[in-house]
Amino acid sequence: MAEPRISSSIDGKLAEEFAVPSHVEEVKEKMTAFAAFHAAAGRRVVLITSGGTKVPLESRTVRFLDNFSSGRRGAASAEYFMDSGYAVVFLHRHRSLYPYARMFLSMNMLDALQFRDLDGAPGSSGEVLVDQRVLPNIGRVLKRYHEVKEGKLLLPVEFSTLSEYLHLLKAAAQALSTIGAKAMFYLAAAVSDFYIPASEMPEHKIQSSNGPLQLSMKMVPKILSPLVKDWAPQAFVTSFKLETDASILLDKARRALDTYRHQAVVANVLDSRRGYVVVVTPDAQAELLLSEDDVKNEVEIEERIVANLTSAHDKFVSEQAG
Amino acid sequence: MAEPRISSSIDGKLAEEFAVPSHVEEVKEKMTAFAAFHAAAGRRVVLITSGGTKVPLESRTVRFLDNFSSGRRGAASAEYFMDSGYAVVFLHRHRSLYPYARMFLSMNMLDALQFRDLDGAPGSSGEVLVDQRVLPNIGRVLKRYHEVKEGKLLLPVEFSTLSEYLHLLKAAAQALSTIGAKAMFYLAAAVSDFYIPASEMPEHKIQSSNGPLQLSMKMVPKILSPLVKDWAPQAFVTSFKLETDASILLDKARRALDTYRHQAVVANVLDSRRGYVVVVTPDAQAELLLSEDDVKNEVEIEERIVANLTSAHDKFVSEQAG
């Protein structure tokens, strides 16, 4: 009977030390309606978290701690989940990569646009076209983006700070718990392990004239624990583990599964994360690897990760039903 | 005779504690050629720095300290400088706002695109057009972007980390010093005051299992000092001062001018920075303020800042020549 208290103490800490975003209840209602709508239509729903969290050092924030993440994995995975028939709640860092639109990030859009004067219309503003030699996939991507919009398959929710992330994740978990085992969590965001409690944060910009900076940061509560135990106990939960040191990775992934008792950990190393991951589950581990041919054909590892997890989710749903 | 030693000690520190980017010499040559080309054409050249610097906490970086900055001020200012006849070296944070393309950042580009089937060409891929109801300024902006490209008026240089910023700024200052008083520096980037020396940085991702994080950060050398005294002693130099506390701002701006003996400080407060700044010069201070009408007409404060500084630069150049 001691365990529920650990989780409730995280609830308490969340309320006390992390500012609650003003729109959290409104977003929760939207997510609940979204889950109900798609479950009624026979669809599964995945919550994807994506991008890094911002940890402010001052309450009027000039400086912050951040985690390296472009949001590429989350954005790409969202597309493959929708291709597999899922509806997606996309809880992402403001301005991180976005499904479909991610193709524009590495370029200047103006370099892909052309001006065309209209015949016989002097003084008209003319047309602006996308140069399909620069963006050869634009037609296909735009079509799929419109299908997804019409099908209302994607619900975007934004966060910037760690506080926003934590509260919105809790709201999302409670919203998706209403559809039980049909919900999947795909926690790909790069979440800070450290923070400064609101009560210990200076209001104004830290002055460099005060000399070198000593920062003392507390550990962020392990949110996976109440998520799995209390907030969405029937859902299929996948967490991510990113390390720079490959030698400790699998051990850490296995230990996370033992501790939190969820369904899968996607383990990856910073340098090789785009071509190799290991999906660790309680009774197996699957290595997913892109071959040279895959890379040449622009296959993305996220397609493989999503295929692996949707099939594990299938099995999970049948077992729960049976 | 003591003063030059302060600057040389900064040079030494730069070389020792901040990793030198491998392409710095190549970029320096490009900037030198750019300055020579435009000076020969009778143009002035401004170096604009823009965006925040990233301060890694680990050498294989997962976590970093960052400074709040979208790069909006630098990107907008670059456009107004080019409108005023300047050529611009744009030293900006990777993926921060970019001149002209900045109009796309607050939106999803796919929402501004439309598909058009081509008549009598079934199976063809069709055309993709920009919806000018969504982006009413696109024609004008694209035209200006092409003019700037043809005139080679804009030289973009990217940084991400504080080390890259410091070394590239030094290279830029030395490159632009070749055109003397015709060079302006417009240091709008949000540069970290604190860093962890390469020698004290852990290689791998800091483990949260080690407990709370104690960070001890050193103070970044004041680069403005060697820039004004040694690297580009004839140039017109403008620095920026951003505070959250308005009561200390003007005093700090005035003190910076006294210390570094440069030409201008643009002083601004975080909350009001888009509508109000003070340009502080050795013998005056000019308040620049957008009226309600200005805001309605989408006037940007950067237009006023640039007008103020280009006119001060005019005077500066005449004085040097006289």
Side-chain angles (χ1 to χ4, degrees):
Chain A
M1 287 289 101
E3 293 213 318
R5 275 172 58 208
I6 299 178
S7 307
S8 351
S9 87
I10 290 183
D11 274 336
K13 202 168 235 170
L14 259 188
E16 273 165 42
E17 301 197 346
F18 298 91
V20 184
S22 57
H23 64 315
V24 67
E25 283 305 315
E26 183 194 330
V27 174
K28 190 173 168 180
E29 276 173 35
K30 264 193 204 162
M31 294 188 288
T32 309
F34 182 84
F37 171 79
H38 288 292
R43 264 176 227 114
R44 290 181 191 153
V45 180
V46 62
L47 175 96
I48 297 178
T49 67
S50 186
T53 60
K54 196 165 154 172
V55 176
L57 304 190
E58 301 123 341
S59 56
R60 303 200 194 183
T61 309
V62 174
R63 303 190 175 88
F64 55 94
L65 195 76
D66 208 335
N67 271 54
F68 167 79
S69 172
S70 66
R72 188 182 197 278
R73 176 147 289 162
S77 301
E79 296 174 15
Y80 295 113
F81 272 112
M82 289 185 279
D83 289 347
S84 311
Y86 280 68
V88 174
V89 180
F90 189 61
L91 179 58
H92 66 291
R93 165 75 171 269
H94 179 60
R95 292 192 181 155
S96 64
L97 287 185
Y98 196 85
Y100 310 110
R102 67 188 169 110
M103 68 185 297
F104 301 127
L105 200 80
S106 57
M107 61 172 308
N108 181 341
M109 189 63 201
L110 290 170
D111 289 326
L113 297 181
Q114 291 174 311
F115 199 77
R116 180 198 282 164
D117 282 318
L118 290 180
D119 287 348
S124 104
S125 57
E127 289 184 333
V128 177
L129 283 99
V130 174
D131 182 345
Q132 298 194 37
R133 290 163 304 180
V134 179
L135 285 174
N137 296 323
I138 185 69
R140 185 180 55 73
V141 170
L142 185 61
K143 198 171 152 230
R144 183 67 184 135
Y145 178 71
H146 285 156
E147 285 168 6
V148 160
K149 253 191 139 168
E150 268 161 45
K152 297 183 175 40
L153 293 174
L154 179 64
L155 177 64
V157 180
E158 288 191 348
F159 65 85
S160 286
T161 64
L162 173 66
S163 295
E164 287 164 358
Y165 170 83
L166 292 172
H167 286 289
L168 290 169
L169 177 60
K170 180 180 172 182
Q174 293 174 329
L176 267 62
S177 73
T178 55
I179 62 167
K182 282 179 192 143
M184 190 197 292
F185 290 81
Y186 184 88
L187 306 172
V191 182
S192 180
D193 289 310
F194 306 105
Y195 75 109
I196 299 179
S199 58
E200 293 173 23
M201 213 182 285
E203 179 186 358
H204 286 295
K205 184 181 179 188
I206 299 165
Q207 293 297 315
S208 63
S209 50
N210 297 346
L213 182 62
Q214 299 294 332
L215 279 183
S216 183
M217 305 189 77
K218 291 177 69 173
M219 290 177 62
V220 174
K222 299 291 184 192
I223 201 86
L224 199 50
S225 174
L227 191 153
V228 172
K229 269 191 272 184
D230 304 327
W231 301 338
Q234 294 179 285
F236 185 100
V237 178
T238 303
S239 67
F240 283 71
K241 193 57 98 180
L242 173 78
E243 294 292 341
T244 57
D245 182 354
S247 70
I248 62 170
L249 180 63
L250 284 181
D251 182 51
K252 290 201 68 174
R254 181 66 60 199
R255 252 192 295 156
L257 270 190
D258 289 346
T259 306
Y260 302 110
R261 310 248 148 224
H262 58 307
Q263 284 64 46
V265 176
V266 178
N268 54 153
V269 174
L270 187 63
D271 294 335
S272 60
R273 69 193 187 285
R274 290 192 180 180
Y276 176 71
V277 307
V278 184
V279 181
V280 182
T281 49
D283 44 16
Q285 59 195 46
E287 297 195 63
L288 308 181
L289 180 70
L290 293 186
S291 68
E292 278 179 37
D293 266 3
D294 290 335
V295 175
K296 215 182 299 165
N297 296 323
E298 300 188 348
V299 174
E300 294 180 308
I301 188 110
E302 288 77 13
E303 184 175 352
R304 304 279 162 84
I305 301 174
V306 169
N308 180 295
L309 290 173
T310 52
S311 118
H313 192 198
D314 271 349
K315 213 174 131 205
F316 179 81
V317 171
S318 321
E319 281 168 6
Q320 302 270 314
Chain B
M1 286 290 101
E3 292 213 320
R5 276 171 59 208
I6 299 179
S7 307
S8 353
S9 87
I10 290 184
D11 273 337
K13 203 169 233 169
L14 259 188
E16 274 166 40
E17 302 200 343
F18 298 91
V20 184
S22 57
H23 64 315
V24 68
E25 284 305 317
E26 183 194 329
V27 174
K28 190 173 168 180
E29 276 173 35
K30 265 193 202 160
M31 293 188 288
T32 308
F34 183 83
F37 171 78
H38 288 292
R43 264 176 228 113
R44 291 182 190 151
V45 180
V46 61
L47 174 97
I48 297 177
T49 67
S50 185
T53 60
K54 199 164 152 172
V55 176
L57 304 190
E58 301 123 342
S59 57
R60 303 198 193 185
T61 310
V62 174
R63 302 188 176 88
F64 55 95
L65 195 76
D66 208 337
N67 270 54
F68 166 80
S69 173
S70 65
R72 187 181 197 278
R73 175 146 291 162
S77 300
E79 296 174 16
Y80 295 113
F81 271 112
M82 288 185 280
D83 290 347
S84 310
Y86 280 68
V88 174
V89 179
F90 189 61
L91 180 58
H92 66 289
R93 165 74 173 270
H94 180 59
R95 290 191 183 156
S96 64
L97 287 186
Y98 196 83
Y100 310 109
R102 67 188 169 111
M103 69 186 296
F104 302 128
L105 200 80
S106 58
M107 62 172 309
N108 181 339
M109 189 63 201
L110 290 171
D111 289 325
L113 297 180
Q114 292 174 311
F115 199 77
R116 181 198 282 164
D117 282 318
L118 289 180
D119 287 348
S124 104
S125 57
E127 290 183 332
V128 177
L129 283 101
V130 174
D131 182 344
Q132 298 194 35
R133 290 165 305 181
V134 180
L135 284 175
N137 296 322
I138 186 68
R140 184 179 55 74
V141 170
L142 184 62
K143 198 172 151 231
R144 183 67 185 137
Y145 178 70
H146 284 154
E147 285 167 5
V148 160
K149 253 192 139 167
E150 268 161 46
K152 297 185 177 34
L153 294 175
L154 179 65
L155 176 64
V157 180
E158 288 192 346
F159 65 85
S160 286
T161 65
L162 173 66
S163 294
E164 288 163 358
Y165 169 83
L166 293 172
H167 286 288
L168 290 169
L169 176 60
K170 180 180 172 182
Q174 293 174 331
L176 267 62
S177 73
T178 55
I179 61 166
K182 282 181 191 143
M184 190 197 292
F185 291 82
Y186 184 88
L187 306 172
V191 183
S192 181
D193 290 309
F194 306 105
Y195 76 107
I196 300 178
S199 58
E200 293 173 22
M201 214 183 287
E203 179 186 358
H204 285 295
K205 184 180 177 189
I206 299 165
Q207 293 296 316
S208 63
S209 50
N210 298 346
L213 183 62
Q214 298 294 331
L215 279 183
S216 184
M217 305 189 78
K218 290 176 69 171
M219 290 176 62
V220 174
K222 299 292 183 190
I223 200 87
L224 199 49
S225 174
L227 191 152
V228 172
K229 269 190 273 185
D230 304 327
W231 300 338
Q234 294 180 285
F236 184 100
V237 177
T238 303
S239 68
F240 282 72
K241 192 58 96 180
L242 174 77
E243 294 292 341
T244 57
D245 183 352
S247 71
I248 61 170
L249 181 63
L250 285 181
D251 183 53
K252 291 199 68 175
R254 182 65 60 196
R255 253 192 294 156
L257 270 190
D258 289 345
T259 306
Y260 303 110
R261 309 250 149 223
H262 56 307
Q263 284 65 44
V265 176
V266 178
N268 54 155
V269 173
L270 187 64
D271 294 335
S272 60
R273 69 194 186 285
R274 290 192 180 180
Y276 176 72
V277 307
V278 183
V279 181
V280 182
T281 49
D283 44 15
Q285 59 194 46
E287 297 194 64
L288 308 181
L289 179 70
L290 293 186
S291 68
E292 279 181 35
D293 266 5
D294 290 336
V295 174
K296 216 182 297 165
N297 296 324
E298 302 188 347
V299 174
E300 294 180 309
I301 189 108
E302 288 77 13
E303 185 175 352
R304 304 280 163 84
I305 302 175
V306 169
N308 181 294
L309 291 173
T310 52
S311 117
H313 192 198
D314 272 349
K315 213 175 131 204
F316 179 82
V317 172
S318 319
E319 282 168 6
Q320 304 269 315

